[in-house]
Amino acid sequence: MRSTVQVAARRLREAGSALYEAAWQTHAARLAIVAARLRSGTPLVAILVAATLLACLYLAWSTGRSVHAVLLPASPTGIGATIAGLIAGIAVLELGAAFAVTLMTAGLRLAYDTGRHRMRALLVIASALALLGMAWRLWETGPAALAGAALPVLGTAGLVMLTAWFERAYLRPAYPGFRDFWVDVVDARHFLTRSAHGE
């Protein structure tokens, strides 16, 4: 009896260890690691990455809740609806995080190919378009509509903040936090490549 309990405990530990390792290989975990490692050197970028992860978590929670609510009437005990909601939420979380990591990789490749001045111009254009979109929505639907568009509003604010930080950090040598653009881009690309292989 005691040996059976020990075997079961060992298998549970092994299963838990396997789940833990699998979780750290996900794109959501990669976003968390990126945010944690950037918090001391570039806190604003770390905050934006963390905000991206929070947005993915929100989308996952919203999707899981919707799936659970739709399936709950057809599930007598509610267990099936809960499991389906969890699976849907995890799938959306991973897809959203994978999309975010892909965008980060593409952005770094674009930055490497175009240089800091063109990247600043692209960020300014993107910020202007995002602000115009917010203004158009505000004009069309009124201030109350912005309460239901928290993610676009936060995304626009983050983009504007990133644009301002980019100009100060890479285009103004007199700024105390002035950084080497090419070194940062190369280091970031190497970091994402290593994390893609679980390093």
Side-chain angles (χ1 to χ4, degrees), residues 90-182:
I90 292 172
V92 169
L93 172 62
E94 185 61 9
L95 287 173
F99 181 68
V101 171
T102 301
L103 284 182
M104 290 169 58
T105 304
L108 288 171
R109 176 59 186 267
L110 181 65
Y112 184 82
D113 291 341
T114 59
R116 58 181 180 172
H117 294 285
R118 291 178 182 174
M119 278 303 300
R120 192 270 303 269
L122 290 175
L123 285 173
V124 169
I125 292 172
S127 298
L129 291 176
L131 289 172
L132 286 175
M134 286 292 101
W136 177 264
R137 179 163 186 163
L138 182 63
W139 183 72
E140 284 284 319
T141 59
L146 293 181
L151 290 180
V153 171
L154 291 176
T156 300
L159 184 59
V160 172
M161 291 172 58
L162 179 63
T163 303
W165 173 83
F166 185 93
E167 183 169 353
R168 293 180 68 185
Y170 294 122
L171 296 171
R172 296 185 183 179
Y175 176 57
F178 185 73
R179 304 175 63 87
D180 190 314
F181 176 77
W182 295 110

Side-chain angles (χ1 to χ4, degrees), residues 1-13:
M1 179 66 180
R2 187 175 180 180
S3 61
T4 304
V5 173
Q6 291 176 343
V7 170
R10 187 178 71 251
R11 289 180 178 176
L12 284 175
R13 286 196 300 269

Side-chain angles (χ1 to χ4, degrees), residues 44-69:
L44 175 60
V45 178
I47 291 172
L48 293 176
V49 174
T52 301
L53 178 58
L54 289 176
C56 294
L57 288 170
Y58 174 79
L59 289 175
W61 173 77
S62 180
T63 301
R65 186 181 63 173
S66 299
V67 171
H68 180 268

